[in-house]
Amino acid sequence: MTNLLHLLVVLILLCVSKPSVAQERMRIAWAGSTPSNTPIWVADQKGFFKKNGLNAEVIAISASTIVIQALLTGEVDFIIAPSATLVTSRLAGADTVMVSTNLPLFIDHIVSLGNISSVEQLKGKIGGVNRLGTTSDMTLRLALRRLGVDPEKETKIIATGENPQRLAALANNLTQFTLLGEPLVREAEKLGFRDLYDIGTLKIPYHVNAVVTREKTVKERRPFVAKVVRAFTEALHFIKTNKEETKTLIGKNLKTNDAEGLERAYRAYNGAFPEVPYPNAEGVKTLLDDIAPRTPKAATADPKSFVDMSLVQELEASGYIKQLYKR
């Protein structure tokens, strides 16, 4: 009787239990509380990592210069990083490689004191960035050069901290200009600062936000990397097809409920997020060309060696992305 009862219990458990899907452990780090990181927030918080068989630990780090160290020491498998982080690490001998992009264009704005009305007037002024050598620093310097201002000779750029600290530095006239993205541009305007220049209008190819790993990882664990690329591709599709949910998620992560600011942020970033996230070499070449006069290794570097387009190519060739967008 006891054996029969035991057998019945086992059979009942087998009937009601759902088969478990094996989840592959993955650690990924990102830096910067801006809407450019919406794809990783969506991939994590909307379940796309889990859907693709990834048990993801998503780690927020204060600056891109620290994020790259986490990758190179093996603390994380992937990082969300810009062209600058990829290029500087690879030129230094690391085997870093970009496998997918989330934001292949500049989107930020140069924001200044209200009495500055032209980029020319930034000459002789002090600009504020998060930390020297980080994404905000490299972006601001590159944009200034494109606009005819030499950031090394004609301005002084200092580290003032993250976005709230940058605004505080402007308010106290410690700096006269900085780099911000929506919805913080709207916040700055409300405080009396000027939206001096929308860098996005320059249409400069540059990977502001991309998925970076190591060549060793791609070679040894290609199916694993493919899962990550697919998860981000699905997250980008979600952003483009679920406006209100995406705005809510951006507001949650930026801790803001400013409806107009969130609308402006969604409109600006959604227009730049790609459907097919190719990590093209042009977004790397922009930076290599910019730093070549000061970095001899950049002058001879092949932009194509910094990216691996094959994973996105395989995903597109399978018809999956076309199916996502129902084409």
Side-chain angles (χ1 to χ4, degrees):
M1 185 70 177
T2 303
N3 289 338
L4 181 60
L5 182 61
H6 177 72
L7 180 60
L8 286 171
V9 170
V10 171
L11 288 171
I12 291 169
L13 288 174
L14 287 172
C15 289
V16 300
S17 297
K18 295 180 180 178
S20 59
V21 177
Q23 298 282 301
E24 195 165 6
R25 186 170 180 271
M26 184 264 283
R27 303 186 84 208
I28 184 167
W30 61 277
S33 293
T34 77
S36 65
N37 276 307
T38 302
I40 192 170
W41 298 337
V42 169
D44 179 33
Q45 295 163 35
K46 290 297 180 179
F48 292 108
F49 286 142
K50 187 175 181 180
K51 176 187 171 186
N52 283 280
L54 298 166
N55 177 14
E57 182 180 354
V58 179
I59 305 163
I61 297 180
S62 60
S64 56
T65 48
I66 302 174
V67 164
I68 188 62
Q69 292 305 316
L71 178 66
L72 297 180
T73 57
E75 292 297 316
V76 299
D77 305 296
F78 297 87
I79 59 172
I80 300 302
S83 292
T85 301
L86 170 70
V87 166
T88 53
S89 63
R90 194 170 177 93
L91 289 179
D95 69 334
T96 46
V97 66
M98 186 188 303
V99 293
S100 177
T101 189
N102 292 328
L103 186 59
L105 293 169
F106 283 121
I107 290 296
D108 285 336
H109 297 225
I110 297 174
V111 172
S112 68
L113 297 180
N115 61 1
I116 295 175
S117 57
S118 70
V119 173
E120 181 74 15
Q121 290 178 305
L122 297 180
K123 293 180 178 180
K125 303 295 193 299
I126 301 173
V129 296
N130 183 358
R131 298 185 186 190
L132 298 181
T134 59
T135 306
S136 60
D137 182 30
M138 300 286 259
T139 302
L140 182 57
R141 291 175 193 270
L142 196 154
L144 287 173
R145 279 189 281 271
R146 286 293 181 98
L147 294 168
V149 176
D150 188 325
E152 277 73 42
K153 296 179 180 178
E154 297 178 311
T155 72
K156 181 179 180 181
I157 296 178
I158 64 173
T160 56
E162 296 190 14
N163 294 322
Q165 288 74 37
R166 284 186 234 171
L167 285 172
L170 278 178
N172 291 298
N173 203 29
L174 297 174
T175 60
Q176 290 79 52
F177 66 97
T178 190
L179 191 77
L180 293 173
E182 296 288 7
L184 285 164
V185 176
R186 169 175 156 75
E187 187 66 29
E189 288 177 322
K190 290 195 296 185
L191 294 172
F193 302 123
R194 186 186 297 273
D195 179 6
L196 185 66
Y197 200 94
D198 177 1
I199 300 173
T201 61
L202 297 174
K203 301 294 182 185
I204 303 173
Y206 177 90
H207 298 288
V208 175
N209 185 290
V211 183
V212 174
T213 187
R214 300 180 65 177
E215 289 182 333
K216 182 176 186 287
T217 304
V218 177
K219 182 178 179 181
E220 296 178 355
R221 305 177 66 189
R222 189 176 182 86
F224 170 58
V225 179
K227 290 179 183 179
V228 176
V229 170
R230 179 166 167 148
F232 274 105
T233 303
E234 291 179 350
L236 289 165
H237 170 260
F238 180 93
I239 292 167
K240 289 185 167 296
T241 55
N242 293 273
K243 177 179 179 180
E244 295 306 319
E245 281 188 80
T246 300
K247 283 165 57 179
T248 298
L249 189 142
I250 293 172
K252 171 188 170 185
N253 284 276
L254 296 183
K255 297 180 173 57
T256 179
N257 57 6
D258 179 358
E260 184 180 339
L262 289 172
E263 176 64 28
R264 284 170 56 163
Y266 180 84
R267 189 164 58 244
Y269 284 87
N270 183 57
F273 289 142
E275 292 182 2
V276 184
Y278 275 118
N280 57 69
E282 288 78 9
V284 174
K285 186 177 185 299
T286 295
L287 183 63
L288 288 173
D289 290 346
D290 183 67
I291 66 175
R294 303 174 302 282
T295 311
K297 282 186 178 180
T300 57
D302 179 3
K304 294 179 181 178
S305 68
F306 291 76
V307 302
D308 184 341
M309 297 179 64
S310 65
L311 290 121
V312 175
Q313 284 173 334
E314 289 170 8
L315 190 60
E316 185 181 31
S318 73
Y320 182 74
I321 299 176
K322 187 179 290 187
Q323 179 188 340
L324 266 183
Y325 290 90
K326 295 181 172 61
R327 290 184 183 143

